[in-house]
Amino acid sequence: MKKGIYPGSFDPVTLGHLDIIMRASKLADELIVGVLVNKSKQSLFTLDERVELLKRVTKNMPNVTIKSFDGLLVDFAEEEKADFIVRGLRAVTDFEYEIQLAHTNHRMRPEVDTVFLTTTLQYSFVSSSLVREIASYGGDISAFVPECIEEDIYKKYGFNK
Amino acid sequence: MKKGIYPGSFDPVTLGHLDIIMRASKLADELIVGVLVNKSKQSLFTLDERVELLKRVTKNMPNVTIKSFDGLLVDFAEEEKADFIVRGLRAVTDFEYEIQLAHTNHRMRPEVDTVFLTTTLQYSFVSSSLVREIASYGGDISAFVPECIEEDIYKKYGFNK
Amino acid sequence: MKKGIYPGSFDPVTLGHLDIIMRASKLADELIVGVLVNKSKQSLFTLDERVELLKRVTKNMPNVTIKSFDGLLVDFAEEEKADFIVRGLRAVTDFEYEIQLAHTNHRMRPEVDTVFLTTTLQYSFVSSSLVREIASYGGDISAFVPECIEEDIYKKYGFNK
Amino acid sequence: MKKGIYPGSFDPVTLGHLDIIMRASKLADELIVGVLVNKSKQSLFTLDERVELLKRVTKNMPNVTIKSFDGLLVDFAEEEKADFIVRGLRAVTDFEYEIQLAHTNHRMRPEVDTVFLTTTLQYSFVSSSLVREIASYGGDISAFVPECIEEDIYKKYGFNK
Amino acid sequence: MKKGIYPGSFDPVTLGHLDIIMRASKLADELIVGVLVNKSKQSLFTLDERVELLKRVTKNMPNVTIKSFDGLLVDFAEEEKADFIVRGLRAVTDFEYEIQLAHTNHRMRPEVDTVFLTTTLQYSFVSSSLVREIASYGGDISAFVPECIEEDIYKKYGFNK
Amino acid sequence: MKKGIYPGSFDPVTLGHLDIIMRASKLADELIVGVLVNKSKQSLFTLDERVELLKRVTKNMPNVTIKSFDGLLVDFAEEEKADFIVRGLRAVTDFEYEIQLAHTNHRMRPEVDTVFLTTTLQYSFVSSSLVREIASYGGDISAFVPECIEEDIYKKYGFNK
């Protein structure tokens, strides 16, 4: 696999995301993590913050670059001349949505393929929304996110930890 | 992705398998198609025949090699020094079985990852058992298998087509 | 819906099957229940017995005919000049298999469509194999099969009830 | 099947919807496409526009009528003296929701049945929300909607194509 | 099972909820029904009203107590010194979400287990949102909620029944 | 929960089974592990051996008893005057099968309920058939079965480990 794109909202990046990034970066020559500008959903972190947090947790991975993108994923993939899109799979409901997305992207740009990695077991239930919910009550998120971004998350909810 | 293994029974190889082989061979530097010696299930084609049919349909793909293997997939992957295993995903029931297999393999050999490709839409319902059933009644299998192996399949059921 | 075919093994017919037959016969002008000659699986009842039991339980439905067929369903549907195939849906695993079958049939004969009915809630867990298992221990099957065939089933297992 | 109702939001009608309409209109004597007045969700097209677009794409189908309805589907079905409701099935998550809906409707009005058709493979991943998302970026929607309504969709997002 | 907690929004309590409460109260020595203070979703009934309706429908169950809680479920379970959490399972999509929740709770508080009961068949499609939708049109909800709370629900939508 | 039954083939018992047994024994006053006499499937271990292995791995659990049973599970539950049946849930396909079984049992003996526990994440992919397959090649099964029965399994396949 030459050049891959791993797209997402990363609001915030979790240990589940990081697991996929590390494994995809081993398989690809070059990996771009694409942070989605989400027009419709309100996000906890701004686009710049989400990019910054990702840069922080991937700083020791030389072939990983963090970029943001607006618009359709396939257009971003074309601009970046990516060979494939990486997606993480956790549950059946993920799977169905992802399959539909993969077929849509294939229909629009057949030259960009989609490859799936299954999230490592211990992170298979972790999601950004789970992290946000637990953090909003000041609960313990240390098992779900990289240590170096914990404080940033608690701050958003007014906790000093 | 450096070196991948695409394992299966391929009894016989279908257009769905071929779709995965072609796409995986674009992403990998080198792809080994591993034909499983299946002790428990009776197969239509012998191991040698299955290998031969695969060689025939992949003869124009320079980075694809056909090999057979006995034993556990992870042991075969280690022998071959493969970086990853490729699996095709069609339906939810596939997905669950594959996820369990991926977790098992990861538990036994964490250094070999598993990547999934979704079968292209038009082949998403094709399987070797479907091909065998239709061929056993002399039905038309031209939409499901490579043209150059159709005759071999019909012969197994005593048809001259 | 002009002419429909409801195919199956019916080994034996259950109240779940009967529910689909009754409802399909209201929607169709003419309904053929097609009993499959199953080469590979050993059946409890012979083909003739399965046809006879179905005739018994549908004797008051004037637009329902019982026929057996060998070979591919789509070929049988063409011979009978059927407009559509009827299938019952109970669970997700049913659904996936049925969708694959529908796509295969559509690929082979686009002029025959497939329509699905969901089994009525109270019969949604009933299957022929469940009935056979319970009857093999002499358990109570009265909630799962038409009353007029109960005795025939118990006899197969050597019970006189 | 005498008289059927195919309900939905159709915001806007896609080639997937049109596929179901065409096939259902062959099976039914008369088919009503019922456009839902959706109180809670904001729609891209007004109710009148959605009805108009549907009329345009079904103008050559003599036994298809477009109507809008407010309130419960089963009440609409009763008013129209419909024999059955038609629903399209694409994925497992669809299936579960649809099964629950069918059981609810059956509990409220047992005399109206629900029949399911599976969306033809090539449209199995198409949805109105997908079309809206792609169109909002000016992306190519020609593979997803009838040609005669493409312009109407782009106009909503300020594109002149 | 010593002490259990059955958490939910109960907006309003349905016959499906009541079925789980009755069965869980037989298995547990003591059952707490925990009504969630839902910050993000607008509810039909206030927290106090939801607690009151639950008290009304469980008044003959001596080992059932109704309480409300704010914050994380696992924290509430710890405060109450509960041994296990009870959840009802209806469909596959429920199942996946519930499994993720169970794994999250187990990760945060391993000493509190989660047990699942399957909703009795006849209530397997009933949900609070279904009840609200039907009631909003003045439809018949008598098959879905306890009789003694029907009037309260209709009143919320301005019906006098 | 007063008295529970955890049924299965246990051919052989895995760490996944043991996880369910330990957790169920904490919730129940008394737990019977019911080993199924399986007429149709050939087993690796005899019934007596399977019972003996289970006794060995549960010897420190005072409220757990190992028994074998022939016939229908609900009949066994009645004989034992059990209040509930315990089942482990791993994947969606499990879930569907288990739900159908629970509904069948409920229909036959409404007084016996079924409760489900989700297998702890790290054992969620472990099954007896997986253990048998790996052991048949002499692979490492130490992560999947209790240490004290490993040797017994290898011996069955002629390995001295």
Side-chain angles (χ1 to χ4, degrees):
Chain A
M1 294 214 260
K2 289 99 207 190
K3 187 173 185 176
I5 284 183
Y6 178 45
S9 292
F10 305 103
D11 185 32
V13 57
T14 67
L15 287 174
H17 296 134
L18 194 56
D19 169 58
I20 298 289
I21 294 172
M22 282 192 288
R23 287 159 53 206
S25 72
K26 278 186 202 155
L27 296 172
D29 294 327
E30 191 184 342
L31 182 72
I32 294 170
V33 179
V35 187
L36 187 60
V37 176
N38 201 328
K39 294 184 299 192
S40 56
K41 268 199 304 184
Q42 185 111 22
S43 65
L44 177 65
F45 289 94
T46 66
L47 183 65
D48 285 351
E49 288 169 338
R50 288 181 275 147
V51 168
E52 197 277 316
L53 294 181
L54 275 160
K55 282 185 176 163
R56 199 188 302 168
V57 301
T58 61
K59 68 168 179 252
N60 294 321
M61 304 182 198
N63 66 337
V64 175
T65 317
I66 315 297
K67 296 192 178 179
S68 63
F69 73 100
D70 194 3
L72 295 173
L73 173 57
V74 284
D75 292 340
F76 179 55
E78 193 179 60
E79 276 165 43
E80 295 291 335
K81 295 186 184 13
D83 300 294
F84 62 97
I85 293 162
V86 181
R87 302 289 290 176
L89 281 182
R90 294 173 307 169
V92 167
T93 36
D94 276 16
F95 168 72
E96 292 230 312
Y97 172 76
E98 292 294 338
I99 281 235
Q100 290 183 11
L101 210 63
H103 288 319
T104 304
N105 291 339
H106 180 77
R107 185 70 188 72
M108 297 183 81
R109 300 239 187 268
E111 67 279 9
V112 183
D113 212 330
T114 303
V115 307
F116 297 94
L117 297 175
T118 54
T119 308
T120 298
L121 213 53
Q122 72 203 93
Y123 306 123
S124 65
F125 58 92
V126 179
S127 66
S128 294
S129 62
L130 174 76
V131 168
R132 291 196 306 267
E133 196 194 337
I134 296 173
S136 76
Y137 294 107
D140 182 1
I141 57 174
S142 61
F144 309 130
V145 296
E147 200 185 340
C148 63
I149 72 163
E150 276 186 46
E151 206 183 311
D152 302 71
I153 301 169
Y154 284 126
K155 259 188 201 156
K156 285 279 174 187
Y157 293 104
F159 293 101
N160 270 309
K161 297 212 175 187
Chain B
M1 292 214 260
K2 289 98 209 190
K3 188 173 184 175
I5 284 183
Y6 177 45
S9 294
F10 305 103
D11 186 32
V13 58
T14 67
L15 287 174
H17 296 135
L18 195 56
D19 169 58
I20 298 289
I21 293 171
M22 282 192 288
R23 287 160 52 205
S25 72
K26 278 184 202 158
L27 296 172
D29 295 328
E30 191 184 339
L31 182 73
I32 294 169
V33 180
V35 186
L36 187 62
V37 175
N38 200 326
K39 294 184 300 196
S40 56
K41 268 199 304 184
Q42 185 111 22
S43 64
L44 178 65
F45 288 94
T46 67
L47 184 65
D48 286 350
E49 288 169 338
R50 287 181 276 147
V51 167
E52 197 277 316
L53 294 182
L54 275 160
K55 283 185 174 162
R56 200 188 302 166
V57 301
T58 61
K59 67 167 180 251
N60 294 321
M61 305 182 197
N63 66 337
V64 175
T65 317
I66 316 296
K67 296 191 177 180
S68 63
F69 73 100
D70 196 4
L72 295 173
L73 174 56
V74 284
D75 292 339
F76 179 56
E78 193 179 61
E79 275 165 44
E80 295 290 335
K81 296 184 183 12
D83 301 293
F84 63 97
I85 293 162
V86 180
R87 303 288 291 177
L89 283 182
R90 294 173 307 169
V92 167
T93 37
D94 276 15
F95 168 73
E96 292 231 311
Y97 173 76
E98 292 295 337
I99 281 235
Q100 290 183 11
L101 210 62
H103 288 319
T104 305
N105 291 339
H106 180 77
R107 185 71 188 69
M108 298 185 80
R109 300 236 187 272
E111 68 279 10
V112 183
D113 212 330
T114 303
V115 307
F116 297 94
L117 298 175
T118 54
T119 309
T120 299
L121 213 52
Q122 72 202 92
Y123 305 123
S124 64
F125 58 92
V126 178
S127 66
S128 294
S129 62
L130 173 77
V131 168
R132 291 195 305 268
E133 196 194 338
I134 296 173
S136 75
Y137 293 108
D140 182 2
I141 57 174
S142 61
F144 310 129
V145 296
E147 200 184 341
C148 64
I149 73 164
E150 276 185 45
E151 206 183 312
D152 301 72
I153 301 168
Y154 284 126
K155 259 188 199 155
K156 285 279 174 188
Y157 293 105
F159 293 101
N160 271 306
K161 295 211 176 188
Chain C
M1 291 214 259
K2 289 99 208 190
K3 189 174 185 176
I5 283 182
Y6 178 46
S9 293
F10 305 103
D11 186 34
V13 57
T14 67
L15 286 175
H17 296 134
L18 195 55
D19 170 57
I20 298 289
I21 294 172
M22 282 193 288
R23 286 159 54 205
S25 72
K26 277 184 202 157
L27 295 172
D29 295 328
E30 194 185 339
L31 183 73
I32 294 170
V33 179
V35 186
L36 188 60
V37 176
N38 201 327
K39 295 184 298 195
S40 55
K41 269 199 304 184
Q42 185 111 21
S43 63
L44 177 65
F45 289 94
T46 66
L47 183 65
D48 286 350
E49 287 169 339
R50 287 180 276 147
V51 167
E52 198 276 316
L53 294 181
L54 274 161
K55 283 185 174 164
R56 201 188 300 167
V57 301
T58 61
K59 68 168 180 249
N60 294 321
M61 304 182 196
N63 67 336
V64 175
T65 316
I66 315 299
K67 296 191 177 179
S68 63
F69 74 99
D70 195 3
L72 296 173
L73 174 56
V74 283
D75 293 339
F76 179 56
E78 191 178 63
E79 274 166 43
E80 295 291 334
K81 297 183 182 13
D83 301 293
F84 63 96
I85 293 162
V86 180
R87 303 288 291 177
L89 283 182
R90 293 174 307 171
V92 166
T93 37
D94 275 17
F95 168 72
E96 292 230 310
Y97 173 75
E98 293 294 336
I99 281 238
Q100 290 183 10
L101 210 62
H103 287 321
T104 305
N105 291 338
H106 180 77
R107 185 72 187 68
M108 297 184 80
R109 301 236 186 271
E111 68 280 9
V112 183
D113 212 328
T114 303
V115 307
F116 297 94
L117 297 175
T118 54
T119 308
T120 298
L121 213 53
Q122 72 202 94
Y123 305 123
S124 65
F125 58 91
V126 179
S127 67
S128 294
S129 62
L130 173 76
V131 167
R132 291 196 305 267
E133 196 193 339
I134 296 174
S136 75
Y137 293 108
D140 182 1
I141 57 174
S142 60
F144 309 129
V145 296
E147 201 185 340
C148 64
I149 74 163
E150 276 186 45
E151 207 184 310
D152 301 70
I153 300 168
Y154 284 127
K155 260 188 199 154
K156 286 280 174 188
Y157 293 105
F159 294 101
N160 269 308
K161 295 213 175 185
Chain D
M1 292 214 259
K2 290 98 207 192
K3 188 173 185 176
I5 284 183
Y6 178 45
S9 293
F10 305 104
D11 185 34
V13 57
T14 67
L15 287 174
H17 296 134
L18 195 57
D19 170 56
I20 298 289
I21 294 172
M22 283 193 287
R23 286 159 53 206
S25 72
K26 278 185 200 156
L27 295 172
D29 295 328
E30 192 185 339
L31 182 73
I32 294 169
V33 179
V35 186
L36 188 60
V37 175
N38 201 327
K39 294 184 298 195
S40 56
K41 267 198 306 183
Q42 185 113 20
S43 64
L44 176 65
F45 288 95
T46 67
L47 183 66
D48 285 351
E49 287 169 339
R50 286 181 276 147
V51 167
E52 197 275 317
L53 294 181
L54 275 160
K55 282 186 176 164
R56 201 189 300 167
V57 301
T58 61
K59 68 168 181 248
N60 293 321
M61 305 183 197
N63 66 337
V64 175
T65 317
I66 315 299
K67 296 191 178 181
S68 63
F69 74 100
D70 195 2
L72 296 172
L73 174 56
V74 283
D75 293 339
F76 179 55
E78 192 178 60
E79 273 166 44
E80 294 291 335
K81 296 185 182 15
D83 300 294
F84 63 96
I85 293 161
V86 180
R87 303 290 289 177
L89 283 182
R90 293 174 307 170
V92 167
T93 37
D94 275 16
F95 168 73
E96 292 229 312
Y97 173 75
E98 292 294 337
I99 281 237
Q100 290 183 10
L101 209 63
H103 288 321
T104 305
N105 291 338
H106 180 77
R107 184 70 188 70
M108 297 185 80
R109 301 234 187 271
E111 67 279 8
V112 183
D113 212 330
T114 302
V115 307
F116 297 94
L117 298 175
T118 54
T119 307
T120 298
L121 214 51
Q122 73 203 94
Y123 306 124
S124 64
F125 59 90
V126 179
S127 67
S128 294
S129 62
L130 174 76
V131 167
R132 291 195 305 266
E133 196 194 338
I134 296 173
S136 75
Y137 294 107
D140 182 0
I141 57 174
S142 61
F144 310 130
V145 296
E147 200 185 341
C148 65
I149 73 163
E150 276 186 45
E151 206 184 311
D152 301 71
I153 300 169
Y154 285 127
K155 260 189 200 155
K156 286 278 174 188
Y157 293 105
F159 294 101
N160 270 308
K161 294 213 177 187
Chain E
M1 292 214 258
K2 291 97 207 190
K3 189 173 184 176
I5 283 183
Y6 178 46
S9 293
F10 306 104
D11 186 33
V13 56
T14 67
L15 287 174
H17 296 135
L18 195 55
D19 170 57
I20 298 289
I21 293 172
M22 283 192 288
R23 287 160 52 206
S25 71
K26 278 184 202 156
L27 296 172
D29 296 327
E30 192 185 339
L31 182 73
I32 294 169
V33 179
V35 186
L36 187 61
V37 176
N38 202 327
K39 296 183 297 194
S40 55
K41 266 199 306 183
Q42 184 112 22
S43 64
L44 177 64
F45 288 95
T46 66
L47 183 65
D48 286 350
E49 287 169 338
R50 287 181 277 146
V51 168
E52 198 276 316
L53 294 182
L54 275 161
K55 283 186 175 162
R56 200 189 301 167
V57 301
T58 61
K59 67 167 180 251
N60 293 319
M61 305 183 196
N63 67 337
V64 175
T65 317
I66 314 298
K67 296 191 177 179
S68 63
F69 73 100
D70 195 3
L72 294 173
L73 175 56
V74 284
D75 293 339
F76 178 56
E78 193 179 59
E79 274 166 44
E80 295 290 335
K81 296 184 183 13
D83 301 293
F84 64 96
I85 293 162
V86 181
R87 302 289 291 176
L89 283 182
R90 293 174 308 170
V92 166
T93 37
D94 275 16
F95 168 73
E96 292 230 310
Y97 173 76
E98 293 294 337
I99 281 238
Q100 291 182 10
L101 210 62
H103 288 320
T104 305
N105 291 338
H106 180 77
R107 185 70 189 69
M108 298 184 79
R109 301 237 186 269
E111 67 279 8
V112 183
D113 212 330
T114 302
V115 307
F116 297 95
L117 298 175
T118 54
T119 308
T120 298
L121 212 53
Q122 73 202 92
Y123 306 123
S124 65
F125 59 91
V126 179
S127 67
S128 294
S129 62
L130 173 77
V131 168
R132 291 196 304 268
E133 195 193 339
I134 297 174
S136 75
Y137 294 108
D140 182 2
I141 58 174
S142 60
F144 309 130
V145 296
E147 201 185 341
C148 64
I149 72 162
E150 276 186 45
E151 206 183 311
D152 301 71
I153 301 167
Y154 284 127
K155 260 187 199 154
K156 285 279 176 188
Y157 293 105
F159 293 101
N160 270 306
K161 295 215 175 183
Chain F
M1 294 214 259
K2 289 99 209 188
K3 189 173 184 175
I5 283 182
Y6 178 45
S9 293
F10 305 103
D11 185 32
V13 57
T14 67
L15 287 174
H17 296 135
L18 195 56
D19 169 57
I20 299 288
I21 293 172
M22 283 193 287
R23 287 159 54 205
S25 73
K26 278 185 202 157
L27 296 172
D29 295 327
E30 193 186 338
L31 182 73
I32 294 169
V33 179
V35 186
L36 186 61
V37 176
N38 200 327
K39 293 183 301 193
S40 55
K41 268 199 304 186
Q42 186 110 21
S43 64
L44 177 65
F45 289 94
T46 67
L47 184 64
D48 286 351
E49 288 169 338
R50 287 180 276 147
V51 167
E52 198 276 316
L53 293 182
L54 275 160
K55 283 186 175 163
R56 200 189 301 167
V57 301
T58 61
K59 68 167 179 251
N60 292 322
M61 304 183 198
N63 66 338
V64 175
T65 317
I66 315 297
K67 296 190 178 181
S68 64
F69 74 100
D70 195 2
L72 295 172
L73 173 57
V74 284
D75 292 340
F76 178 55
E78 193 180 60
E79 274 167 43
E80 295 291 335
K81 295 185 184 12
D83 300 294
F84 63 96
I85 293 162
V86 181
R87 303 289 290 176
L89 282 183
R90 293 173 308 170
V92 167
T93 38
D94 275 16
F95 168 72
E96 292 230 310
Y97 173 75
E98 292 294 337
I99 281 238
Q100 290 182 10
L101 210 63
H103 288 320
T104 305
N105 291 338
H106 180 76
R107 184 70 189 70
M108 297 184 80
R109 301 234 187 271
E111 67 280 8
V112 183
D113 213 330
T114 302
V115 307
F116 297 94
L117 298 175
T118 54
T119 308
T120 298
L121 213 52
Q122 74 202 94
Y123 305 125
S124 65
F125 59 90
V126 178
S127 67
S128 294
S129 62
L130 173 77
V131 168
R132 291 195 306 267
E133 197 193 338
I134 296 174
S136 76
Y137 293 108
D140 182 0
I141 57 175
S142 61
F144 309 130
V145 296
E147 200 185 341
C148 64
I149 73 164
E150 276 185 45
E151 205 183 312
D152 301 71
I153 300 168
Y154 284 127
K155 258 188 200 154
K156 285 279 173 188
Y157 292 104
F159 293 101
N160 270 308
K161 296 213 177 186

